[in-house]
Amino acid sequence: MPPVRSKRPTLKTISEISGFAVPTVSRALKGAPDIGKSTKETVQRIAREIGYVPNRAGVRLKTGKTNVISLVLSTEQDMMNHPARLISSFAGTLRETNYHVIVTPFFPDEDPMKPVKYIVETGSADAIILNQTEPKDARVAYLMERKFPFATHGRTDWSHLHPYFDFDNDKFGRYAVSELTNRGRSNLLLIAPPPSQTYGREMIAGAFDEAAVHGVSIARLDPTTSVEPSDDIRSAVATYMATNPNTDAIICASTASAMAAVAAVENPGRHIGTDIDVFAKEVAPFLKLFRPGILSVREDTGLAGQFLARAAMQAINRPELPPLQDLDFPAPLQ
C-alpha cells in the first residue's frame, strides 16, 4: 500500500507512484482508447487506493464540464415503483467513468420546469435525465431548443429527436387484454396512469384497442389513476365494483394499485384467480408473493437506468451521433 499522505492527492501524486507521465495518468483516468488496458488498471487502482478525487472546480475551469449528470425526479413517487432501483442502476453504470450522479427533486406543487431551468442556467450538470414525460413535454422542448444534453425515461411526441428508454405500455395494455380474454374474462377495468403522461396515453390506447378487437367490455377507473394513494384506489375500485358487479378482471399499471385493487375486491369475499383476475405491471417479482393468483409483467427499471446512463454520456460527448433509444417489453412473469 502507498504511504498515507496529508495533502489531497493529485494527478502528479499518481504519476509519482505509478511512474507514468501526468498526461498519461490523466488520459488513463478518462478511459482514453489509446491507453493500454494494463496502464488504465494500474492508474485506476492507485487512484482508488490513495483516494484521488478530481477537483471539480478545476475540471470545470479547464473543460467547461462538471462531470455530473442530474436525475430530475418528482417527490411524488409511488414507493412500490422503487425509484431507488433506477437511481442505483444509473449510478452503477457511471461507477467506472468520470461522471457522478445527483438527484434533483421537484415537488408536486412546483412548476416542473423550475429544476430543469436551474440546472441549465447555472451549468450545474452536463446532462439531465427526466421521467414522467408528457406528449408535448415543455421540459423536453426547452432542452432541445437550448441543445442541452438529456435523455428521458419515457417518450414524447418528439422521441425521434432525442434519447429515451421506455417500456412499451401500449403493448402491455394489449397483452393484458388478450391474456385476460383468453382466460374467459369479458368485463375489464383498467387502473391506468394519468392520461396526461405519455405512458398513460399509450396504455389506455393499447388496452381499449385490443378490447375492441376481442369484442369485450373495458372501462377506465376515472378520475382515479394508478399513482393515487392506495386508500383512494381501494375506495374507487370498491365503489366501481358495487355498481359493476360483473367486472371479472382488473388491469393495474403498478404494484401499489394492484395491491389496492386486491384489497377492494377481496373484502366482499371474491377470490383472485377464480372469481376475478388481476393483471399488473411491476418492477420486482413481488406480487405473486402477495397473491399467487395475480398475473404480472415486469418492467426492468435496472435496465432502464443502465441504458439512460449510456444515452446521457453519448449525448454529452458525441452529440453528432443518432440519439440512443430503446423500447422494452419483457416476457411475462410466471
Side-chain angles (χ1 to χ4, degrees), residues 73-307:
L73 300 175
S74 170
T75 59
E76 190 178 47
Q77 292 277 351
D78 174 2
M79 292 311 295
M80 295 303 294
N81 281 338
H82 302 298
R85 288 176 176 268
L86 179 67
I87 297 169
S88 177
S89 63
F90 189 91
T93 305
L94 299 181
R95 186 175 179 180
E96 299 301 326
T97 75
N98 288 329
Y99 289 98
H100 300 267
V101 61
I102 60 171
V103 177
T104 303
F106 69 92
F107 297 89
D109 60 348
E110 282 185 332
D111 179 358
M113 286 292 297
K114 180 180 176 181
V116 174
K117 285 185 174 180
Y118 175 84
I119 293 167
V120 173
E121 291 172 1
T122 62
S124 52
D126 297 332
I128 291 173
I129 304 296
L130 303 171
N131 71 347
Q132 297 184 340
T133 54
E134 298 182 354
K136 298 188 184 302
D137 200 297
R139 302 169 301 171
V140 171
Y142 172 83
L143 291 168
M144 288 197 301
E145 180 183 348
R146 282 154 183 78
K147 295 182 170 56
F148 192 91
F150 73 97
T152 60
H153 188 199
R155 287 170 290 170
T156 69
D157 284 353
W158 312 299
S159 291
H160 60 292
L161 298 174
H162 66 76
Y164 70 80
F165 183 93
D166 201 7
F167 181 85
D168 194 336
N169 286 283
D170 178 276
K171 188 172 182 178
F172 169 79
R174 294 177 186 276
Y175 183 79
V177 170
S178 178
E179 287 294 300
L180 291 167
T181 302
N182 290 340
R183 294 171 64 90
R185 306 306 188 181
S186 59
N187 292 284
L188 316 181
L189 174 65
L190 172 64
I191 307 177
S196 61
Q197 295 178 15
T198 306
Y199 81 119
R201 180 184 67 174
E202 296 288 328
M203 188 181 297
I204 293 165
F208 274 75
D209 286 351
E210 192 70 15
V213 169
H214 290 276
V216 297
S217 172
I218 187 168
R220 178 168 66 89
L221 194 64
D222 185 33
T224 306
T225 70
S226 62
V227 301
E228 308 293 336
S230 294
D231 285 346
D232 292 350
I233 297 173
R234 180 176 58 183
S235 176
V237 171
T239 299
Y240 180 88
M241 296 292 292
T243 54
N244 298 273
N246 293 331
T247 301
D248 54 15
I250 303 177
I251 301 170
C252 304
S254 68
T255 302
S257 62
M259 294 176 68
V262 168
V265 302
E266 286 186 339
N267 186 48
R270 298 184 184 92
H271 299 284
I272 303 301
T274 53
D275 302 324
I276 188 168
D277 276 321
V278 171
F279 194 111
K281 181 176 70 166
E282 59 180 339
V283 300
F286 169 80
L287 285 172
K288 283 194 175 294
L289 299 176
F290 172 63
R291 291 291 185 278
I294 293 178
L295 308 169
S296 61
V297 165
R298 184 181 176 192
E299 177 178 2
D300 192 340
T301 51
L303 182 64
Q306 294 166 17
F307 187 91

Side-chain angles (χ1 to χ4, degrees), residues 8 42 45 138 183 252 264 329:
R8 176 173 178 167
T42 299
R45 174 181 56 78
R183 294 171 64 90
C252 304
F329 186 82

